[in-house]
Amino acid sequence: MSLYRTWRNFSRVGKPVLVMSTRKMSDVSSKTEPGLVETEKRDSIFLIGINRPHVRNCVNNQTALQLFKAFQTFENDESSLAAVFYGKGGTFCAGYDLTEVASAASEIEEMPFGETDVGPMGPSRMRLSKPVIAAVDGYAVAGGMELTLLADMRVMEEDAIMGVFCRRFGVPLIDGGTVRLPQLIGLSRALDLILTGRPIGAQEALEFGLANRVVRKGMALEAAMALANQIAAFPQECMRADRRSAYYGMFDSPSFVESMKFEYNNGKGVVAKESVKGATRFTEGVGRGGSFDAFKPKL
């Protein structure tokens, strides 16, 4: 399947529609690998796992499409309140499959931006309405690091490594790395990583604001699940309204005044739906003294 044709014919909304190129069907089927991305539903949490451990979960075209579909399923599932994004086999993601880049460079150049929501790494161009937590172990480098930036929060294991390792091979960041990273940690720190390609460990990532939590080796997925469940336990419309306003102010708003206006108009509708009920609970004694006990998830 042509890389360009596959991306081009993957629909922006609803069900994906894949149209075959003029290549032989036998050539396409030999490259199709099922199960490159695994999904699982645990109560209100949707798990998405990259499943190419034999190549450190690097993403090829098929994996990118399956990742996009998985995130699309999460977005459209009203009962899924948060997602946990991880890699199977001890590595989050080692980036894009460079063996495929070597053979598909001309097709990538032909692909104009805006033809589809599918990025080279899959879901990197998506703007989701619900929280995503990335559980990072092993390496999350190059395009793999860009995928972690899609998440709202990143839980890193103490020996995990991030970095723009593709700097060594002349492969650019085209999955949001130069857009999200400076907004997340500031331009100076982002350029430190983007220009040098150097590895950044969990503790420094925490200091930079790139990681939100650092946990022991082997605990990232469990910690990310606990965090996702905690978020899912809160009143959802209010949480999503605040999240939406934060993203608008960071990426879309032209001014401080416009950000404040959006925050007010975006949030005021929640008052009747959730705030009155919440205030009533507070008057009845729930949450006094800053306690979150009433909102602890039932695991």
Side-chain angles (χ1 to χ4, degrees), residues 32-93:
T32 300
E33 304 173 63
L36 298 174
V37 174
E38 292 189 358
T39 61
E40 179 185 352
K41 186 78 173 291
R42 296 186 190 175
D43 297 322
S44 61
I45 308 303
F46 195 88
L47 282 81
I48 300 172
I50 306 174
N51 187 32
R52 296 189 82 206
H54 60 291
V55 287
R56 293 193 175 184
N57 290 327
C58 68
V59 170
N60 61 4
N61 181 38
Q62 290 291 325
T63 310
L65 293 176
Q66 290 181 32
L67 272 176
F68 181 88
K69 184 176 181 180
F71 274 94
Q72 194 177 57
T73 300
F74 160 65
E75 178 70 6
N76 294 332
D77 181 4
E78 294 183 2
S79 64
S80 293
L81 304 184
V84 171
F85 186 22
Y86 70 104
K88 298 180 70 70
T91 296
F92 180 81
C93 175

Tab-separated table of all heavy atoms in Angstrom, residues 32-93:
chain	number	residue	atom	x	y	z
A	32	THR	N	1.117	-6.327	5.757
A	32	THR	CA	0.095	-6.053	6.761
A	32	THR	C	0.317	-6.926	7.994
A	32	THR	O	0.421	-8.139	7.892
A	32	THR	CB	-1.305	-6.327	6.192
A	32	THR	OG1	-1.516	-5.488	5.060
A	32	THR	CG2	-2.373	-6.040	7.235
A	33	GLU	N	0.398	-6.287	9.149
A	33	GLU	CA	0.623	-6.990	10.401
A	33	GLU	C	-0.521	-6.691	11.363
A	33	GLU	O	-0.675	-5.552	11.785
A	33	GLU	CB	1.933	-6.561	11.045
A	33	GLU	CG	3.160	-6.725	10.177
A	33	GLU	CD	4.385	-6.124	10.845
A	33	GLU	OE1	4.769	-6.613	11.932
A	33	GLU	OE2	4.934	-5.159	10.297
A	34	PRO	N	-1.326	-7.664	11.723
A	34	PRO	CA	-2.394	-7.420	12.695
A	34	PRO	C	-1.836	-7.301	14.104
A	34	PRO	O	-0.747	-7.800	14.409
A	34	PRO	CB	-3.274	-8.665	12.554
A	34	PRO	CG	-2.317	-9.741	12.111
A	34	PRO	CD	-1.315	-9.056	11.232
A	35	GLY	N	-2.564	-6.626	14.983
A	35	GLY	CA	-2.197	-6.582	16.393
A	35	GLY	C	-0.998	-5.727	16.728
A	35	GLY	O	-0.362	-5.937	17.768
A	36	LEU	N	-0.675	-4.762	15.872
A	36	LEU	CA	0.458	-3.883	16.163
A	36	LEU	C	0.124	-2.907	17.278
A	36	LEU	O	1.028	-2.340	17.903
A	36	LEU	CB	0.855	-3.107	14.903
A	36	LEU	CG	1.319	-3.968	13.722
A	36	LEU	CD1	1.554	-3.107	12.493
A	36	LEU	CD2	2.571	-4.745	14.092
A	37	VAL	N	-1.155	-2.717	17.511
A	37	VAL	CA	-1.625	-1.880	18.610
A	37	VAL	C	-2.701	-2.667	19.350
A	37	VAL	O	-3.624	-3.182	18.727
A	37	VAL	CB	-2.202	-0.543	18.105
A	37	VAL	CG1	-2.812	0.256	19.253
A	37	VAL	CG2	-1.122	0.273	17.404
A	38	GLU	N	-2.560	-2.761	20.663
A	38	GLU	CA	-3.546	-3.471	21.469
A	38	GLU	C	-4.345	-2.480	22.300
A	38	GLU	O	-3.791	-1.529	22.841
A	38	GLU	CB	-2.855	-4.484	22.393
A	38	GLU	CG	-2.216	-5.641	21.650
A	38	GLU	CD	-1.727	-6.730	22.580
A	38	GLU	OE1	-1.857	-6.569	23.820
A	38	GLU	OE2	-1.221	-7.755	22.085
A	39	THR	N	-5.643	-2.698	22.373
A	39	THR	CA	-6.506	-1.852	23.196
A	39	THR	C	-7.243	-2.716	24.209
A	39	THR	O	-7.491	-3.897	23.972
A	39	THR	CB	-7.527	-1.083	22.346
A	39	THR	OG1	-8.377	-2.016	21.660
A	39	THR	CG2	-6.828	-0.175	21.336
A	40	GLU	N	-7.564	-2.085	25.326
A	40	GLU	CA	-8.267	-2.792	26.400
A	40	GLU	C	-9.081	-1.781	27.185
A	40	GLU	O	-8.642	-0.644	27.391
A	40	GLU	CB	-7.263	-3.479	27.327
A	40	GLU	CG	-7.880	-4.233	28.489
A	40	GLU	CD	-6.843	-4.791	29.440
A	40	GLU	OE1	-5.633	-4.720	29.127
A	40	GLU	OE2	-7.255	-5.277	30.515
A	41	LYS	N	-10.250	-2.173	27.611
A	41	LYS	CA	-11.107	-1.315	28.417
A	41	LYS	C	-11.144	-1.851	29.846
A	41	LYS	O	-11.515	-2.994	30.082
A	41	LYS	CB	-12.515	-1.309	27.812
A	41	LYS	CG	-13.495	-0.350	28.472
A	41	LYS	CD	-13.267	1.082	28.022
A	41	LYS	CE	-14.370	1.973	28.560
A	41	LYS	NZ	-15.683	1.698	27.938
A	42	ARG	N	-10.734	-1.025	30.805
A	42	ARG	CA	-10.827	-1.376	32.220
A	42	ARG	C	-11.732	-0.353	32.879
A	42	ARG	O	-11.294	0.762	33.183
A	42	ARG	CB	-9.450	-1.386	32.875
A	42	ARG	CG	-8.491	-2.432	32.331
A	42	ARG	CD	-7.206	-2.491	33.127
A	42	ARG	NE	-6.206	-3.320	32.490
A	42	ARG	CZ	-4.959	-3.466	32.938
A	42	ARG	NH1	-4.590	-2.828	34.060
A	42	ARG	NH2	-4.090	-4.222	32.298
A	43	ASP	N	-12.977	-0.728	33.052
A	43	ASP	CA	-13.991	0.190	33.573
A	43	ASP	C	-14.054	1.420	32.670
A	43	ASP	O	-14.343	1.289	31.497
A	43	ASP	CB	-13.717	0.536	35.033
A	43	ASP	CG	-13.798	-0.696	35.927
A	43	ASP	OD1	-14.676	-1.537	35.671
A	43	ASP	OD2	-12.991	-0.814	36.864
A	44	SER	N	-13.736	2.602	33.193
A	44	SER	CA	-13.833	3.819	32.381
A	44	SER	C	-12.501	4.237	31.761
A	44	SER	O	-12.399	5.289	31.153
A	44	SER	CB	-14.367	4.980	33.234
A	44	SER	OG	-13.486	5.244	34.311
A	45	ILE	N	-11.474	3.383	31.900
A	45	ILE	CA	-10.148	3.707	31.379
A	45	ILE	C	-9.870	2.886	30.116
A	45	ILE	O	-10.062	1.669	30.099
A	45	ILE	CB	-9.054	3.449	32.422
A	45	ILE	CG1	-9.396	4.157	33.740
A	45	ILE	CG2	-7.696	3.904	31.891
A	45	ILE	CD1	-9.608	5.648	33.615
A	46	PHE	N	-9.397	3.549	29.086
A	46	PHE	CA	-9.114	2.926	27.797
A	46	PHE	C	-7.599	2.823	27.637
A	46	PHE	O	-6.894	3.833	27.645
A	46	PHE	CB	-9.708	3.779	26.668
A	46	PHE	CG	-9.803	3.096	25.343
A	46	PHE	CD1	-10.927	2.353	25.019
A	46	PHE	CD2	-8.792	3.208	24.403
A	46	PHE	CE1	-11.033	1.722	23.780
A	46	PHE	CE2	-8.883	2.593	23.165
A	46	PHE	CZ	-10.008	1.847	22.853
A	47	LEU	N	-7.083	1.602	27.509
A	47	LEU	CA	-5.647	1.393	27.362
A	47	LEU	C	-5.281	1.216	25.894
A	47	LEU	O	-5.961	0.478	25.162
A	47	LEU	CB	-5.195	0.160	28.142
A	47	LEU	CG	-5.045	0.316	29.648
A	47	LEU	CD1	-6.405	0.200	30.333
A	47	LEU	CD2	-4.085	-0.714	30.222
A	48	ILE	N	-4.201	1.878	25.483
A	48	ILE	CA	-3.701	1.776	24.117
A	48	ILE	C	-2.217	1.425	24.196
A	48	ILE	O	-1.413	2.197	24.734
A	48	ILE	CB	-3.884	3.092	23.351
A	48	ILE	CG1	-5.369	3.466	23.275
A	48	ILE	CG2	-3.277	2.991	21.950
A	48	ILE	CD1	-5.633	4.844	22.695
A	49	GLY	N	-1.844	0.265	23.674
A	49	GLY	CA	-0.462	-0.189	23.763
A	49	GLY	C	0.147	-0.478	22.405
A	49	GLY	O	-0.433	-1.214	21.600
A	50	ILE	N	1.314	0.099	22.134
A	50	ILE	CA	2.057	-0.220	20.913
A	50	ILE	C	2.670	-1.604	21.098
A	50	ILE	O	3.322	-1.876	22.115
A	50	ILE	CB	3.161	0.817	20.641
A	50	ILE	CG1	2.582	2.227	20.612
A	50	ILE	CG2	3.865	0.508	19.317
A	50	ILE	CD1	3.631	3.324	20.485
A	51	ASN	N	2.496	-2.470	20.117
A	51	ASN	CA	2.888	-3.866	20.269
A	51	ASN	C	3.844	-4.312	19.162
A	51	ASN	O	3.541	-5.173	18.352
A	51	ASN	CB	1.631	-4.752	20.291
A	51	ASN	CG	1.954	-6.200	20.616
A	51	ASN	OD1	2.888	-6.492	21.356
A	51	ASN	ND2	1.176	-7.121	20.038
A	52	ARG	N	5.040	-3.693	19.147
A	52	ARG	CA	6.121	-4.145	18.257
A	52	ARG	C	7.409	-4.254	19.082
A	52	ARG	O	8.428	-3.610	18.773
A	52	ARG	CB	6.328	-3.168	17.106
A	52	ARG	CG	5.171	-3.023	16.140
A	52	ARG	CD	5.604	-2.197	14.926
A	52	ARG	NE	6.313	-2.993	13.956
A	52	ARG	CZ	7.212	-2.494	13.101
A	52	ARG	NH1	7.542	-1.212	13.140
A	52	ARG	NH2	7.826	-3.275	12.224
A	53	PRO	N	7.383	-5.018	20.160
A	53	PRO	CA	8.538	-5.048	21.057
A	53	PRO	C	9.827	-5.525	20.407
A	53	PRO	O	10.917	-5.172	20.861
A	53	PRO	CB	8.087	-5.988	22.181
A	53	PRO	CG	7.015	-6.831	21.574
A	53	PRO	CD	6.307	-5.925	20.605
A	54	HIS	N	9.718	-6.316	19.333
A	54	HIS	CA	10.910	-6.839	18.670
A	54	HIS	C	11.718	-5.742	17.993
A	54	HIS	O	12.894	-5.931	17.678
A	54	HIS	CB	10.516	-7.916	17.651
A	54	HIS	CG	9.594	-7.434	16.580
A	54	HIS	ND1	8.279	-7.091	16.845
A	54	HIS	CD2	9.781	-7.223	15.249
A	54	HIS	CE1	7.699	-6.700	15.721
A	54	HIS	NE2	8.587	-6.771	14.749
A	55	VAL	N	11.095	-4.574	17.771
A	55	VAL	CA	11.805	-3.420	17.198
A	55	VAL	C	11.638	-2.212	18.112
A	55	VAL	O	11.585	-1.075	17.651
A	55	VAL	CB	11.317	-3.110	15.762
A	55	VAL	CG1	11.820	-4.144	14.788
A	55	VAL	CG2	9.792	-3.000	15.699
A	56	ARG	N	11.556	-2.472	19.399
A	56	ARG	CA	11.415	-1.426	20.415
A	56	ARG	C	10.226	-0.497	20.123
A	56	ARG	O	10.275	0.700	20.339
A	56	ARG	CB	12.703	-0.609	20.549
A	56	ARG	CG	13.869	-1.428	21.111
A	56	ARG	CD	15.025	-0.543	21.518
A	56	ARG	NE	16.076	-1.331	22.159
A	56	ARG	CZ	17.181	-0.804	22.695
A	56	ARG	NH1	17.352	0.508	22.656
A	56	ARG	NH2	18.090	-1.572	23.254
A	57	ASN	N	9.178	-1.105	19.609
A	57	ASN	CA	7.910	-0.407	19.352
A	57	ASN	C	8.044	0.778	18.417
A	57	ASN	O	7.271	1.741	18.492
A	57	ASN	CB	7.270	0.052	20.679
A	57	ASN	CG	6.748	-1.115	21.485
A	57	ASN	OD1	6.300	-2.122	20.933
A	57	ASN	ND2	6.823	-1.013	22.801
A	58	CYS	N	9.029	0.722	17.513
A	58	CYS	CA	9.076	1.774	16.496
A	58	CYS	C	7.844	1.642	15.600
A	58	CYS	O	7.305	0.556	15.403
A	58	CYS	CB	10.372	1.726	15.703
A	58	CYS	SG	10.585	0.296	14.641
A	59	VAL	N	7.396	2.756	15.074
A	59	VAL	CA	6.123	2.827	14.359
A	59	VAL	C	6.352	2.797	12.853
A	59	VAL	O	7.117	3.606	12.322
A	59	VAL	CB	5.368	4.117	14.750
A	59	VAL	CG1	4.152	4.351	13.854
A	59	VAL	CG2	4.946	4.052	16.219
A	60	ASN	N	5.704	1.860	12.192
A	60	ASN	CA	5.675	1.884	10.733
A	60	ASN	C	4.295	2.355	10.275
A	60	ASN	O	3.456	2.753	11.087
A	60	ASN	CB	6.028	0.508	10.155
A	60	ASN	CG	5.038	-0.576	10.593
A	60	ASN	OD1	4.035	-0.305	11.262
A	60	ASN	ND2	5.325	-1.809	10.205
A	61	ASN	N	4.060	2.329	8.982
A	61	ASN	CA	2.805	2.849	8.441
A	61	ASN	C	1.590	2.141	9.016
A	61	ASN	O	0.612	2.774	9.424
A	61	ASN	CB	2.831	2.727	6.913
A	61	ASN	CG	1.575	3.275	6.260
A	61	ASN	OD1	1.034	4.282	6.702
A	61	ASN	ND2	1.112	2.613	5.222
A	62	GLN	N	1.645	0.809	9.070
A	62	GLN	CA	0.518	0.043	9.586
A	62	GLN	C	0.256	0.357	11.065
A	62	GLN	O	-0.890	0.487	11.489
A	62	GLN	CB	0.783	-1.453	9.414
A	62	GLN	CG	0.742	-1.924	7.968
A	62	GLN	CD	-0.667	-1.861	7.394
A	62	GLN	OE1	-1.643	-2.099	8.105
A	62	GLN	NE2	-0.781	-1.540	6.124
A	63	THR	N	1.333	0.489	11.830
A	63	THR	CA	1.185	0.808	13.244
A	63	THR	C	0.570	2.186	13.425
A	63	THR	O	-0.286	2.405	14.296
A	63	THR	CB	2.547	0.762	13.960
A	63	THR	OG1	3.204	-0.464	13.647
A	63	THR	CG2	2.377	0.864	15.473
A	64	ALA	N	1.007	3.141	12.601
A	64	ALA	CA	0.467	4.501	12.680
A	64	ALA	C	-1.040	4.504	12.452
A	64	ALA	O	-1.792	5.168	13.177
A	64	ALA	CB	1.160	5.402	11.653
A	65	LEU	N	-1.481	3.758	11.467
A	65	LEU	CA	-2.915	3.703	11.168
A	65	LEU	C	-3.691	3.034	12.305
A	65	LEU	O	-4.783	3.482	12.670
A	65	LEU	CB	-3.157	2.945	9.861
A	65	LEU	CG	-2.630	3.621	8.592
A	65	LEU	CD1	-2.838	2.717	7.388
A	65	LEU	CD2	-3.305	4.958	8.366
A	66	GLN	N	-3.132	1.971	12.867
A	66	GLN	CA	-3.804	1.296	13.968
A	66	GLN	C	-3.839	2.170	15.225
A	66	GLN	O	-4.812	2.153	15.973
A	66	GLN	CB	-3.123	-0.042	14.256
A	66	GLN	CG	-3.343	-1.077	13.149
A	66	GLN	CD	-2.681	-2.416	13.441
A	66	GLN	OE1	-2.566	-2.838	14.591
A	66	GLN	NE2	-2.237	-3.105	12.395
A	67	LEU	N	-2.774	2.938	15.451
A	67	LEU	CA	-2.771	3.872	16.577
A	67	LEU	C	-3.844	4.938	16.408
A	67	LEU	O	-4.566	5.272	17.347
A	67	LEU	CB	-1.396	4.541	16.708
A	67	LEU	CG	-0.339	3.844	17.548
A	67	LEU	CD1	0.980	4.608	17.466
A	67	LEU	CD2	-0.786	3.701	18.999
A	68	PHE	N	-3.930	5.481	15.212
A	68	PHE	CA	-4.941	6.502	14.949
A	68	PHE	C	-6.339	5.944	15.199
A	68	PHE	O	-7.168	6.587	15.854
A	68	PHE	CB	-4.834	7.008	13.518
A	68	PHE	CG	-5.840	8.081	13.182
A	68	PHE	CD1	-5.557	9.413	13.425
A	68	PHE	CD2	-7.072	7.758	12.634
A	68	PHE	CE1	-6.478	10.409	13.134
A	68	PHE	CE2	-8.002	8.736	12.347
A	68	PHE	CZ	-7.703	10.074	12.590
A	69	LYS	N	-6.592	4.761	14.706
A	69	LYS	CA	-7.907	4.139	14.879
A	69	LYS	C	-8.205	3.899	16.348
A	69	LYS	O	-9.337	4.087	16.819
A	69	LYS	CB	-7.978	2.833	14.097
A	69	LYS	CG	-9.355	2.179	14.144
A	69	LYS	CD	-9.400	0.933	13.276
A	69	LYS	CE	-10.793	0.294	13.316
A	69	LYS	NZ	-10.868	-0.926	12.474
A	70	ALA	N	-7.178	3.484	17.121
A	70	ALA	CA	-7.368	3.229	18.549
A	70	ALA	C	-7.748	4.513	19.286
A	70	ALA	O	-8.668	4.528	20.114
A	70	ALA	CB	-6.096	2.633	19.148
A	71	PHE	N	-7.053	5.610	18.982
A	71	PHE	CA	-7.378	6.876	19.631
A	71	PHE	C	-8.735	7.406	19.166
A	71	PHE	O	-9.465	8.035	19.939
A	71	PHE	CB	-6.280	7.910	19.367
A	71	PHE	CG	-5.151	7.835	20.349
A	71	PHE	CD1	-4.015	7.092	20.067
A	71	PHE	CD2	-5.229	8.480	21.570
A	71	PHE	CE1	-2.967	7.003	20.981
A	71	PHE	CE2	-4.198	8.410	22.491
A	71	PHE	CZ	-3.063	7.668	22.198
A	72	GLN	N	-9.070	7.151	17.929
A	72	GLN	CA	-10.381	7.538	17.417
A	72	GLN	C	-11.485	6.773	18.150
A	72	GLN	O	-12.519	7.344	18.515
A	72	GLN	CB	-10.443	7.257	15.913
A	72	GLN	CG	-11.605	7.904	15.185
A	72	GLN	CD	-11.533	7.618	13.699
A	72	GLN	OE1	-11.513	6.460	13.281
A	72	GLN	NE2	-11.492	8.664	12.894
A	73	THR	N	-11.254	5.492	18.403
A	73	THR	CA	-12.219	4.679	19.155
A	73	THR	C	-12.386	5.220	20.568
A	73	THR	O	-13.511	5.334	21.078
A	73	THR	CB	-11.756	3.214	19.204
A	73	THR	OG1	-11.661	2.707	17.866
A	73	THR	CG2	-12.734	2.359	19.998
A	74	PHE	N	-11.267	5.552	21.222
A	74	PHE	CA	-11.322	6.134	22.553
A	74	PHE	C	-12.119	7.436	22.546
A	74	PHE	O	-12.993	7.653	23.393
A	74	PHE	CB	-9.910	6.385	23.068
A	74	PHE	CG	-9.832	7.382	24.197
A	74	PHE	CD1	-10.417	7.110	25.429
A	74	PHE	CD2	-9.186	8.599	24.029
A	74	PHE	CE1	-10.358	8.032	26.473
A	74	PHE	CE2	-9.118	9.528	25.054
A	74	PHE	CZ	-9.711	9.247	26.277
A	75	GLU	N	-11.838	8.299	21.596
A	75	GLU	CA	-12.507	9.602	21.526
A	75	GLU	C	-14.009	9.451	21.350
A	75	GLU	O	-14.798	10.210	21.927
A	75	GLU	CB	-11.923	10.414	20.373
A	75	GLU	CG	-12.561	11.781	20.156
A	75	GLU	CD	-12.244	12.791	21.249
A	75	GLU	OE1	-11.426	12.503	22.141
A	75	GLU	OE2	-12.831	13.890	21.205
A	76	ASN	N	-14.423	8.455	20.580
A	76	ASN	CA	-15.845	8.286	20.279
A	76	ASN	C	-16.601	7.443	21.308
A	76	ASN	O	-17.825	7.352	21.239
A	76	ASN	CB	-16.002	7.644	18.891
A	76	ASN	CG	-15.530	8.552	17.782
A	76	ASN	OD1	-15.556	9.780	17.911
A	76	ASN	ND2	-15.067	7.973	16.675
A	77	ASP	N	-15.887	6.845	22.243
A	77	ASP	CA	-16.514	6.005	23.264
A	77	ASP	C	-16.861	6.871	24.473
A	77	ASP	O	-15.985	7.251	25.255
A	77	ASP	CB	-15.566	4.876	23.659
A	77	ASP	CG	-16.157	3.953	24.709
A	77	ASP	OD1	-17.341	4.139	25.086
A	77	ASP	OD2	-15.435	3.045	25.177
A	78	GLU	N	-18.126	7.158	24.654
A	78	GLU	CA	-18.553	8.043	25.739
A	78	GLU	C	-18.280	7.472	27.120
A	78	GLU	O	-18.135	8.218	28.091
A	78	GLU	CB	-20.045	8.359	25.591
A	78	GLU	CG	-20.382	9.178	24.354
A	78	GLU	CD	-21.851	9.532	24.274
A	78	GLU	OE1	-22.597	9.165	25.203
A	78	GLU	OE2	-22.256	10.184	23.288
A	79	SER	N	-18.193	6.157	27.233
A	79	SER	CA	-17.959	5.549	28.539
A	79	SER	C	-16.476	5.506	28.914
A	79	SER	O	-16.132	5.165	30.046
A	79	SER	CB	-18.524	4.123	28.571
A	79	SER	OG	-17.852	3.284	27.658
A	80	SER	N	-15.599	5.840	27.968
A	80	SER	CA	-14.163	5.913	28.250
A	80	SER	C	-13.829	7.345	28.653
A	80	SER	O	-13.934	8.270	27.850
A	80	SER	CB	-13.346	5.510	27.016
A	80	SER	OG	-13.512	4.153	26.708
A	81	LEU	N	-13.423	7.539	29.906
A	81	LEU	CA	-13.217	8.882	30.444
A	81	LEU	C	-11.772	9.344	30.373
A	81	LEU	O	-11.500	10.547	30.429
A	81	LEU	CB	-13.707	8.932	31.896
A	81	LEU	CG	-15.166	8.510	32.117
A	81	LEU	CD1	-15.554	8.686	33.579
A	81	LEU	CD2	-16.113	9.299	31.206
A	82	ALA	N	-10.848	8.415	30.288
A	82	ALA	CA	-9.429	8.756	30.166
A	82	ALA	C	-8.719	7.587	29.496
A	82	ALA	O	-9.188	6.448	29.547
A	82	ALA	CB	-8.808	9.043	31.525
A	83	ALA	N	-7.584	7.882	28.865
A	83	ALA	CA	-6.801	6.839	28.198
A	83	ALA	C	-5.418	6.760	28.805
A	83	ALA	O	-4.860	7.757	29.273
A	83	ALA	CB	-6.703	7.111	26.703
A	84	VAL	N	-4.862	5.548	28.811
A	84	VAL	CA	-3.476	5.327	29.187
A	84	VAL	C	-2.755	4.777	27.966
A	84	VAL	O	-3.167	3.778	27.378
A	84	VAL	CB	-3.353	4.351	30.372
A	84	VAL	CG1	-1.902	3.958	30.601
A	84	VAL	CG2	-3.946	4.980	31.633
A	85	PHE	N	-1.677	5.444	27.573
A	85	PHE	CA	-0.935	5.148	26.357
A	85	PHE	C	0.427	4.590	26.763
A	85	PHE	O	1.156	5.228	27.527
A	85	PHE	CB	-0.800	6.449	25.561
A	85	PHE	CG	-0.179	6.322	24.200
A	85	PHE	CD1	-0.151	5.125	23.505
A	85	PHE	CD2	0.375	7.448	23.587
A	85	PHE	CE1	0.407	5.030	22.240
A	85	PHE	CE2	0.929	7.380	22.326
A	85	PHE	CZ	0.954	6.166	21.653
A	86	TYR	N	0.788	3.424	26.268
A	86	TYR	CA	2.022	2.782	26.709
A	86	TYR	C	2.613	1.921	25.599
A	86	TYR	O	2.000	1.734	24.533
A	86	TYR	CB	1.752	1.925	27.952
A	86	TYR	CG	0.931	0.678	27.677
A	86	TYR	CD1	1.520	-0.578	27.626
A	86	TYR	CD2	-0.448	0.758	27.463
A	86	TYR	CE1	0.774	-1.717	27.369
A	86	TYR	CE2	-1.205	-0.364	27.209
A	86	TYR	CZ	-0.585	-1.607	27.162
A	86	TYR	OH	-1.326	-2.728	26.895
A	87	GLY	N	3.803	1.418	25.823
A	87	GLY	CA	4.433	0.486	24.901
A	87	GLY	C	4.626	-0.854	25.582
A	87	GLY	O	4.942	-0.915	26.766
A	88	LYS	N	4.453	-1.926	24.854
A	88	LYS	CA	4.590	-3.266	25.421
A	88	LYS	C	6.042	-3.737	25.303
A	88	LYS	O	6.742	-3.390	24.365
A	88	LYS	CB	3.659	-4.243	24.703
A	88	LYS	CG	2.177	-3.891	24.858
A	88	LYS	CD	1.288	-4.883	24.128
A	88	LYS	CE	1.269	-6.245	24.803
A	88	LYS	NZ	0.552	-6.215	26.099
A	89	GLY	N	6.481	-4.510	26.302
A	89	GLY	CA	7.795	-5.128	26.217
A	89	GLY	C	8.956	-4.314	26.736
A	89	GLY	O	10.108	-4.612	26.411
A	90	GLY	N	8.699	-3.266	27.524
A	90	GLY	CA	9.795	-2.555	28.162
A	90	GLY	C	10.283	-1.297	27.474
A	90	GLY	O	11.226	-0.661	27.949
A	91	THR	N	9.662	-0.911	26.369
A	91	THR	CA	10.022	0.322	25.673
A	91	THR	C	8.745	1.029	25.240
A	91	THR	O	7.860	0.392	24.662
A	91	THR	CB	10.888	0.053	24.430
A	91	THR	OG1	12.128	-0.520	24.835
A	91	THR	CG2	11.174	1.333	23.661
A	92	PHE	N	8.667	2.325	25.486
A	92	PHE	CA	7.488	3.059	25.026
A	92	PHE	C	7.462	3.098	23.505
A	92	PHE	O	6.561	2.555	22.867
A	92	PHE	CB	7.471	4.474	25.600
A	92	PHE	CG	6.275	5.273	25.162
A	92	PHE	CD1	5.050	5.113	25.798
A	92	PHE	CD2	6.354	6.170	24.097
A	92	PHE	CE1	3.927	5.824	25.377
A	92	PHE	CE2	5.237	6.885	23.678
A	92	PHE	CZ	4.023	6.711	24.321
A	93	CYS	N	8.446	3.753	22.898
A	93	CYS	CA	8.502	3.810	21.440
A	93	CYS	C	9.838	4.399	21.021
A	93	CYS	O	10.231	5.467	21.480
A	93	CYS	CB	7.359	4.652	20.884
A	93	CYS	SG	7.427	4.908	19.086
